[in-house]
Amino acid sequence: MNDKPENEVMDIVYYCMYGFSGYFFLYFYVHWKLSGILTLVYIVLWSLFAYLYELAAQAVDIFDFSKGYDRIYSFPIYLYIQSFFILFFHFITKEYGKLKQKF
């Protein structure tokens, strides 16, 4: 929820943050045809980027962690989610290939 009824510049940044970063995360992964250890490095770098973006968002009061959330959990969560995202992408790509062969 917004803190004011009208939109502010930081609201737009907040709304775009996860959608754009998720899109570019997968786009560059496919574009660069990463595999093996490079995939692991890629996930770690994007997780670091997400963590730093979260720090910046907190600095400008987009995120408020005063209710007990500890930022130390964020980096492992980003690692997990981005790893799952790549695994899910490979699963969907494989299933699409199977379905495409049937028709």
Side-chain angles (χ1 to χ4, degrees), residues 18-36:
Y18 291 108
F20 287 139
S21 64
Y23 172 80
F24 286 119
F25 172 75
L26 194 56
Y27 173 80
F28 289 124
Y29 175 76
V30 172
H31 180 72
W32 292 331
K33 300 175 183 158
L34 299 174
S35 63

Side-chain angles (χ1 to χ4, degrees), residues 8-75:
E8 298 174 326
V9 173
M10 294 316 298
D11 293 332
I12 295 167
V13 171
Y14 172 71
Y15 296 147
C16 296
M17 178 173 57
Y18 291 108
F20 287 139
S21 64
Y23 172 80
F24 286 119
F25 172 75
L26 194 56
Y27 173 80
F28 289 124
Y29 175 76
V30 172
H31 180 72
W32 292 331
K33 300 175 183 158
L34 299 174
S35 63
I37 193 74
L38 289 177
T39 299
L40 181 62
V41 171
Y42 185 72
I43 290 170
V44 169
L45 289 175
W46 268 93
S47 296
L48 182 61
F49 167 75
Y51 183 76
L52 293 174
Y53 197 92
E54 187 177 288
L55 283 175
Q58 185 183 11
V60 294
D61 293 328
I62 292 176
F63 293 145
D64 179 20
F65 295 135
S66 65
K67 304 283 189 230
Y69 179 78
D70 193 354
R71 213 175 30 246
I72 197 165
Y73 301 120
S74 295
F75 189 73

